[in-house]
Amino acid sequence: MAYEEMQATPLSSIAEAFEDLAHIIKHGEQELRLNAFCDACALVSVLFNSLGLAFKFAELEYCAKVRGLSEAANIYPTLHNILDIDVRNDRVKCPGSLSRNLRRVRQGLDLIRALFEGFLATYDCSLREAASSAYAQTCAPYHSWAVRAAATAGMYALPSRDQLLSSLNETDESAEYRMKRYMKAAIPVIQYIDKLYISRNISLDW
């Protein structure tokens, strides 16, 4: 079935947006524009919202960071620019810095990628198992004990697999197709962001 020809859904919009970013990165004709990156990232907030209270903390943090970066796009055209200005001012890891915001948004994108990976690993896998594993892999190492405890407790409030698919207007088959598209496209975007830090001798363990 040609899912791309069907009515657009949140997942199809997200997959398409990140495929566009991945295409720019692959061809390397220009630096990634901050406004285009933020537009794609803003679409992902729908997924956090669909996961309910368990990921409310992630949704609030993620959306706030995307909003901060989006506002900065009026001044700094590319992702390179925001790291360069923070390096120059020695503010890379300071709370509220654009570089820190970008780091947290990158973790949010990776959290969704890992969640999709677990979700698709087996149809017997519960959403709680997939979400718990994804959180442990991508965000837990950088969160305080209090945040980790709240996230763990919230996992029990996650919707069922069928409820999530219904809220996203997807079937098992269409969701698998679109999740795989996002996963494939998100990897080069995440790697691109990591390389921005590494090329400036900034560690990734924060």
Side-chain angles (χ1 to χ4, degrees), residues 81-154:
N81 296 146
I82 62 174
L83 264 77
D84 287 339
I85 193 68
D86 280 346
V87 168
R88 192 177 308 132
N89 294 324
D90 195 24
R91 282 183 46 81
V92 170
K93 298 184 180 181
C94 293
S97 73
L98 296 174
S99 298
R100 189 179 184 87
N101 286 359
L102 178 60
R103 188 77 192 139
R104 294 296 174 260
V105 169
R106 175 253 185 248
Q107 287 171 357
L109 299 179
D110 202 26
L111 173 63
I112 295 298
R113 180 206 57 77
L115 174 63
F116 285 176
E117 186 175 60
F119 187 84
L120 297 177
T122 169
Y123 286 111
D124 294 330
C125 177
S126 73
L127 186 57
R128 179 157 60 89
E129 289 177 69
S132 297
S133 176
Y135 177 72
Q137 289 177 47
T138 61
C139 295
Y142 312 107
H143 284 166
S144 67
W145 177 87
V147 173
R148 293 197 304 272
T152 300

Side-chain angles (χ1 to χ4, degrees), residues 137-178:
Q137 289 177 47
T138 61
C139 295
Y142 312 107
H143 284 166
S144 67
W145 177 87
V147 173
R148 293 197 304 272
T152 300
M155 295 296 175
Y156 292 92
L158 282 166
S160 68
R161 185 188 187 97
D162 289 342
Q163 286 172 332
L164 177 64
L165 291 175
S166 177
S167 70
L168 295 174
N169 197 26
E170 301 284 355
T171 64
D172 271 318
E173 293 77 14
S174 67
E176 179 175 359
Y177 170 71
R178 287 162 175 159

Side-chain angles (χ1 to χ4, degrees), residues 6 25 53 56 72 104 106 161 165-166 184-185 187 198:
M6 297 170 60
I25 292 168
L53 291 175
K56 194 65 181 176
R104 294 296 174 260
R106 175 253 185 248
R161 185 188 187 97
L165 291 175
S166 177
K184 181 179 179 180
I187 289 172
I198 292 170

